[in-house]
Amino acid sequence: MSVIPNLNGQRVSALSAVGNTQLIQLRKIVPPTGAKLFLKLEYQNPTASYKDRMALSVIEGAERKGTLGPGMRVLEYTGGSTGSSLAMVCAVKGYKFIAVSSDAFAKEKLQTIRAFGGDLHLVPSDEGLITPGLFTRMEEETQRLAAEPGTFFVDQFHNTDAFTGYEQLGRELLLQTSRIDVFAAAVGTAGMLMGVSRVLKAQNPRIHIVALEPASSPMLSRSLKGNHRVEGIGVGYVPALLTRENYDEVIEIEEKEARQMARLLARQEGVFAGISTGLNVVAAARLAAKMSAQDTVVTVAADSGLKYLAGDLFYD
């Protein structure tokens, strides 16, 4: 991708647009009493997802280590947002990208991977549901492709280079608000929650970190697997990046509530985001309602509602 000099004479690309997203206060969907609730608009990243942070940090981490270089291809299994982010980073850097995904995930996300030049290997789902078995089959297909020469397997569920990108998110939060009492976010790979937690707890160990999951798949809270349609989270096992000392509580949220909140955010707050964002805000609002007016709860708008228009999210 061609680059042009910016006003400071530095050469920039689309990758320079990753991060530095805005933090807004939600005012209409929160109770009149209780803590202030802030939402980090991660859909302002280039592919409209917080996963851009992870994609850039893991690719540049691999380049520094020498495990990824010219002529190699990048491989990952993904529900879509990670694939879109990796495809974008690879397009800028000149790597071929292969995504193993499934028809269970939003068509918009899969089409975005192709738009950035990525190749898709689709694993059939069970009637469109996100199930533990689906992730197992996707991982098996990925391992087969990873064995081929010249392949860098990102391995987002174990790659600690993801923390680099998400720690920057935590540092941005500290600059954007003078006080954080609670940070709550849904768990997929757990990279974002753990990266932010490492920064926030280093600044103030009393900040309460809350991990969120779908009530129909309460693996973190009750060690139970289940099916759901909240893309990007609730993978059916405890992710390796999730360390118990870096979070304080787990809350289960009903998928129906998450979907309703996504619609309310658009109609009442002007925030156009996806299902996991709805889940994040349901939990954050519930926590804020129990706290004082001096307190602050922060969560994340993980991706844009534009990624869900082909589905039923925005239909009552």
Side-chain angles (χ1 to χ4, degrees):
M1 178 177 179
S2 61
V3 296
I4 59 174
N6 67 11
L7 294 178
N8 296 319
Q10 298 175 329
R11 293 175 66 79
V12 297
S13 73
L15 302 183
S16 64
V18 175
N20 295 314
T21 57
Q22 290 182 310
L23 184 71
I24 65 168
Q25 184 174 357
L26 300 179
R27 300 179 184 275
K28 295 182 179 179
I29 55 88
V30 295
T33 59
K36 294 181 286 294
L37 174 52
F38 287 90
L39 183 68
K40 184 86 159 139
L41 300 183
E42 285 296 286
Y43 57 59
Q44 292 178 335
N45 284 298
T47 76
S49 167
Y50 72 104
K51 293 289 189 179
D52 287 358
R53 297 178 185 268
M54 178 279 298
L56 182 57
S57 63
V58 297
I59 293 298
E60 293 192 338
E63 289 174 331
R64 287 192 299 271
K65 295 171 185 176
T67 53
L68 175 62
M72 296 182 65
R73 66 182 190 177
V74 175
L75 169 70
E76 182 58 295
Y77 67 99
T78 166
S81 286
T82 291
S84 301
S85 298
L86 285 168
M88 182 271 293
V89 173
C90 288
V92 175
K93 289 181 170 286
Y95 300 113
K96 180 180 179 180
F97 175 62
I98 299 174
V100 175
S101 194
S102 172
D103 61 333
F105 304 108
K107 293 179 181 178
E108 298 91 330
K109 296 180 182 181
L110 302 180
Q111 290 169 343
T112 302
I113 294 171
R114 291 191 177 102
F116 282 117
D119 291 338
L120 271 175
H121 289 237
L122 294 180
V123 176
S125 66
D126 299 317
E127 299 181 346
L129 292 173
I130 301 169
T131 63
L134 174 61
F135 281 100
T136 299
R137 295 193 299 275
M138 288 168 61
E139 186 173 6
E140 289 172 350
E141 173 65 7
T142 302
Q143 293 294 341
R144 183 186 70 78
L145 293 169
E148 297 178 4
T151 302
F152 168 64
F153 171 33
V154 171
D155 195 11
Q156 61 173 321
F157 282 91
H158 299 89
N159 194 328
T160 56
D161 284 336
F163 292 146
T164 302
Y166 292 132
E167 286 169 358
Q168 178 58 32
L169 194 161
R171 288 189 287 270
E172 290 172 21
L173 288 175
L174 292 176
L175 291 172
Q176 290 171 314
T177 181
S178 59
R179 174 170 176 168
I180 300 175
D181 297 282
V182 174
F183 179 78
V187 171
T189 67
M192 189 270 283
L193 186 71
M194 294 296 94
V196 172
S197 174
R198 284 154 61 121
V199 170
L200 297 187
K201 285 207 175 271
Q203 194 269 345
N204 180 2
R206 297 182 65 183
I207 294 176
H208 195 70
I209 306 296
V210 184
L212 310 176
E213 63 182 353
S216 58
S217 186
M219 175 56 63
L220 305 183
S221 55
R222 291 186 280 146
S223 300
L224 296 176
K225 301 178 182 181
N227 305 334
H228 62 90
R229 294 193 298 155
V230 187
E231 298 183 24
I233 69 172
V235 296
Y237 55 86
V238 178
L241 297 180
L242 187 71
T243 51
R244 189 62 187 87
E245 64 269 21
N246 284 323
Y247 69 98
D248 302 291
E249 182 183 3
V250 179
I251 293 178
E252 303 172 23
I253 300 295
E254 293 289 343
E255 182 177 337
K256 181 179 179 180
E257 291 183 85
R259 289 174 171 271
Q260 291 172 339
M261 180 58 76
R263 294 191 286 270
L264 281 176
L265 283 170
R267 295 170 184 175
Q268 296 186 16
E269 299 280 3
V271 172
F272 194 36
I275 306 170
S276 61
T277 299
L279 187 146
N280 284 348
V281 175
V282 169
R286 191 174 297 173
L287 290 161
K290 300 176 183 178
M291 300 167 67
S292 74
Q294 290 74 41
D295 296 327
T296 298
V297 179
V298 178
T299 190
V300 169
D303 63 6
S304 169
L306 291 171
K307 298 187 176 188
Y308 302 89
L309 287 177
D312 61 358
L313 175 58
F314 294 104
Y315 294 93
D316 291 328

